[in-house]
Amino acid sequence: VIAAMRAVVILGWMGSKSITLGKYGGIYSKLGFEVAHVELPFRAGWVPLLARQTVNWSLLPQMDGLVTEARLRGNQDLNVVFHSFSLAANAFMPAVLDNMDNGSVKWKLRAMVHDSGPVEFGIGPG
């Protein structure tokens, strides 16, 4: 039996660059994961349509490529971990989950890592 292929999707913070996200991807790659990543364009955290367009134009083609690669390797499943920075989960995940439901991509969400999530701005006592 062939083990399911593993992939990580790195959802970058607002204004992140491919070269920086690639460093995180390298860590996962050394652990045997296939890697896809997408940068969060400015304003996408507050404009759902922009986030949805980014998912459709950037992330879904990468995911389709990973699914094709998994099938070529004889895998039936593609187990996916999402690693999200800052506002990326809030911006991207609704569009990602919508696409999981409509069958455009065939993969299984196995885990979600929230790294340096949004915090309230302000100074409190202490």
Side-chain angles (χ1 to χ4, degrees), residues 18-47:
S18 291
I19 192 164
T20 307
L21 296 178
K23 292 177 183 179
Y24 289 97
I27 295 168
Y28 281 102
S29 184
K30 287 179 183 176
L31 295 171
F33 285 80
E34 299 295 324
V35 179
H37 63 80
V38 61
E39 298 91 21
L40 180 62
F42 285 104
R43 295 187 306 266
W46 298 279
V47 182

Side-chain angles (χ1 to χ4, degrees), residues 8 15 27 29 37 56 95 98 102 104 106:
V8 63
I27 295 168
S29 184
H37 63 80
N56 290 338
D98 286 349
N102 74 20
S104 69
K106 304 290 185 206

Side-chain angles (χ1 to χ4, degrees), residues 8-14 16-18 21 35-41 51 53-60 62 82-83 85 88 92 96:
V8 63
V9 177
I10 300 173
L11 305 174
W13 57 92
M14 196 172 343
S16 61
K17 303 292 182 206
S18 291
L21 296 178
V35 179
H37 63 80
V38 61
E39 298 91 21
L40 180 62
Q53 288 173 340
T54 303
V55 167
N56 290 338
W57 297 339
S58 180
L59 181 58
L60 292 180
Q62 291 182 69
F82 279 87
H83 188 140
F85 291 92
F92 290 135
V96 168

Side-chain angles (χ1 to χ4, degrees), residues 58-106:
S58 180
L59 181 58
L60 292 180
Q62 291 182 69
M63 293 303 298
D64 286 339
L66 289 173
V67 168
T68 300
E69 180 68 24
R71 289 190 182 135
L72 289 173
R73 293 182 187 180
N75 290 285
Q76 295 301 313
D77 296 325
L78 177 60
N79 294 319
V80 180
V81 172
F82 279 87
H83 188 140
S84 171
F85 291 92
S86 192
L87 290 173
N90 297 349
F92 290 135
M93 287 312 289
V96 168
L97 295 173
D98 286 349
N99 281 287
M100 285 179 72
D101 291 341
N102 74 20
S104 69
V105 225
K106 304 290 185 206

